[in-house]
Amino acid sequence: MLLNFDAGWYNYLFDDAKAISFEEDRKRVKDAQLKDFEAYSESDKMEDISRRLILSRCKRPETDIELLRRAGFRLIYTDEEIGEKVWDETEKMNYGSRPMFMLRGVK
């Protein structure tokens, strides 16, 4: 069994609508005077790396599901609202445009 918790963390680098939503997250966080999880010294480096990663360009979790199928997983379950269950309010505000999902696959 495989359990994976992830999100389309850097999809905003390749999708204009997601980029707008990402910037709206930053504004909401600032307006609420919360810690901005994207304001760290190596964020530019992370974006540079992410531009070279295949999954940063893909629709998620749909692509993940297809990759699991190709790898031989048959019993695949997705919870696309897991972030609502596990994130606190600051995380929800920081990551609103990049919802976490959970994948469970059984071979």
Side-chain angles (χ1 to χ4, degrees), residues 27-68:
K27 183 175 179 349
R28 276 191 298 278
V29 166
K30 182 179 179 181
D31 291 348
Q33 298 180 343
L34 296 172
K35 178 180 177 164
D36 187 342
F37 297 159
E38 299 302 319
Y40 59 97
S41 62
E42 295 185 343
S43 64
D44 289 340
K45 288 181 186 178
M46 289 299 296
E47 285 185 348
D48 288 342
I49 292 167
S50 296
R51 282 185 180 89
R52 293 176 277 176
L53 299 175
I54 293 168
L55 288 178
S56 294
R57 299 172 191 267
C58 297
K59 187 169 183 176
R60 310 217 32 224
E62 293 82 355
T63 300
D64 302 72
I65 293 167
E66 179 58 29
L67 291 172
L68 286 177

Side-chain angles (χ1 to χ4, degrees):
M1 178 186 296
L2 169 81
L3 274 180
N4 183 43
F5 295 82
D6 208 345
W9 298 112
Y10 292 95
N11 288 156
Y12 68 89
L13 296 172
F14 302 97
D15 182 308
D16 291 338
K18 290 183 186 289
I20 291 168
S21 295
F22 176 80
E23 291 305 323
E24 289 170 351
D25 287 348
R26 309 284 55 80
K27 183 175 179 349
R28 276 191 298 278
V29 166
K30 182 179 179 181
D31 291 348
Q33 298 180 343
L34 296 172
K35 178 180 177 164
D36 187 342
F37 297 159
E38 299 302 319
Y40 59 97
S41 62
E42 295 185 343
S43 64
D44 289 340
K45 288 181 186 178
M46 289 299 296
E47 285 185 348
D48 288 342
I49 292 167
S50 296
R51 282 185 180 89
R52 293 176 277 176
L53 299 175
I54 293 168
L55 288 178
S56 294
R57 299 172 191 267
C58 297
K59 187 169 183 176
R60 310 217 32 224
E62 293 82 355
T63 300
D64 302 72
I65 293 167
E66 179 58 29
L67 291 172
L68 286 177
R69 284 192 181 118
R70 288 184 198 172
F73 288 86
R74 296 291 170 242
L75 299 174
I76 300 170
Y77 167 78
T78 308
D79 184 343
E80 295 186 47
E81 297 181 12
I82 194 72
E84 288 296 318
K85 300 170 189 168
V86 301
W87 280 341
D88 64 27
E89 292 308 311
T90 301
E91 289 166 320
K92 288 176 186 176
M93 193 167 291
N94 266 276
Y95 303 135
S97 64
R98 298 169 295 167
M100 182 193 300
F101 58 85
M102 179 189 78
L103 288 174
R104 181 183 73 213
V106 179
K107 243 183 175 182

